């Protein structure tokens, strides 16, 4: 009995004909478009990762600014 993977189900749901062609071993005629799509998705993934990193750095800088502001106000009040 053959194991069906989730990615295979996703491929079938996206395009049953493409899934069938892959099952019978017929090569894709869109190799250039598929390569461009893979490149696009890799670049997009990198952008998302950089945006997440930038967001974490911004939050950290904000926390440091609030800490320094609190220390400064406390120093002014106590003097």
């Amino acid at each position: 009995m053959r194991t069906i993977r989730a990615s295979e189900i996703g491929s079938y749901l996206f395009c049953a004909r493409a899934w069938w062609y892959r099952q019978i071993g017929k090569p894709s005629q869109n190799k250039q478009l598929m390569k461009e799509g893979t490149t696009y998705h890799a670049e997009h993934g990198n952008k998302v990762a950089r945006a997440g990193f930038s967001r974490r750095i911004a939050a950290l800088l904000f926390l440091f600014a609030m800490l320094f502001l609190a220390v400064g106000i406390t120093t002014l009040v106590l003097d």
Side-chain angles (χ1 to χ4, degrees):
M1 184 175 216
R2 189 169 83 78
T3 302
I4 299 174
R5 295 188 170 19
S7 62
E8 188 176 349
I9 294 171
S11 295
Y12 179 82
L13 292 174
F14 180 73
C15 181
R17 185 172 297 222
W19 173 85
W20 175 247
Y21 284 150
R22 200 170 304 118
Q23 295 302 307
I24 63 173
K26 184 171 181 174
S28 175
Q29 296 176 355
N30 296 340
K31 290 193 188 274
Q32 182 60 33
L33 287 175
M34 289 170 61
K35 183 178 178 184
E36 290 171 8
T38 300
T39 302
Y40 171 79
H41 281 275
E43 290 171 358
H44 178 70
N46 288 336
K47 287 179 185 177
V48 169
R50 285 194 306 266
F53 179 74
S54 296
R55 187 175 186 184
R56 285 188 214 94
I57 294 296
L60 187 62
L61 290 174
F62 177 76
L63 289 174
F64 279 133
M66 291 297 106
L67 177 66
F68 289 135
L69 182 63
V71 169
I73 290 174
T74 303
T75 302
L76 287 174
V77 170
L78 293 178
D79 284 340

